[in-house]
């Protein structure tokens, strides 16, 4: 399954509310969030701006890779079935 077309705003809200990255760097054009498990940096992710524009699959795929999610898991993250605790369980393999 490929990544659906979501608005940048929906992707941003899903990342900020469900994943809640720490140490968000707000300098520059786009925010960058850092995701840790037990003080170990697992990944960093570019957080889209709060536009209502649709982010096409290619850009969304880049963010999904940064979050270490498959296309289906990324769709679930934005559509709501994937919550924060389950996301961090997925990341345990990368620790």
């Amino acid at each position: 399954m490929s990544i659906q077309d979501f608005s940048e705003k929906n992707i941003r809200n899903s990342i900020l509310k469900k994943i809640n990255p720490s140490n968000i760097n707000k300098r520059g054009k786009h925010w960058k969030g850092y995701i840790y498990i037990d003080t170990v940096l697992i990944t960093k992710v570019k957080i889209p701006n709060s536009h209502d524009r649709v982010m096409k699959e290619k850009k969304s795929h880049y963010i999904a890779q940064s979050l270490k999610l498959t296309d289906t898991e990324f769709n679930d993250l934005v559509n709501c079935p994937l919550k924060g605790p389950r996301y961090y369980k997925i990341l345990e393999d990368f620790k």
Side-chain angles (χ1 to χ4, degrees), residues 51-83:
H51 301 294
D52 285 325
R53 277 184 284 190
V54 172
M55 185 177 279
K56 297 295 182 185
E57 180 183 358
K58 195 169 190 174
K59 276 185 158 180
S60 295
H61 185 72
Y62 170 76
I63 293 175
Q65 282 182 321
S66 296
L67 292 170
K68 302 193 182 296
L69 294 174
T70 65
D71 293 351
T72 304
E73 290 169 338
F74 183 77
N75 288 337
D76 285 348
L77 176 71
V78 180
N79 284 328
C80 289
L82 178 61
K83 303 290 183 198

Side-chain angles (χ1 to χ4, degrees), residues 11-84:
I11 295 170
R12 175 189 178 91
N13 289 338
S14 295
I15 292 171
L16 292 175
K17 292 179 181 175
K18 294 179 185 177
I19 296 173
N20 194 18
S22 55
N23 297 335
I24 296 175
N25 181 350
K26 297 180 179 180
R27 287 181 266 147
K29 190 174 180 179
H30 297 281
W31 291 5
K32 187 162 286 224
Y34 298 86
I35 300 170
Y36 294 90
I37 294 181
D38 299 331
T39 68
V40 176
L41 177 64
I42 302 298
T43 189
K44 51 189 167 188
V45 62
K46 176 183 149 190
I47 301 170
N49 291 324
S50 188
H51 301 294
D52 285 325
R53 277 184 284 190
V54 172
M55 185 177 279
K56 297 295 182 185
E57 180 183 358
K58 195 169 190 174
K59 276 185 158 180
S60 295
H61 185 72
Y62 170 76
I63 293 175
Q65 282 182 321
S66 296
L67 292 170
K68 302 193 182 296
L69 294 174
T70 65
D71 293 351
T72 304
E73 290 169 338
F74 183 77
N75 288 337
D76 285 348
L77 176 71
V78 180
N79 284 328
C80 289
L82 178 61
K83 303 290 183 198

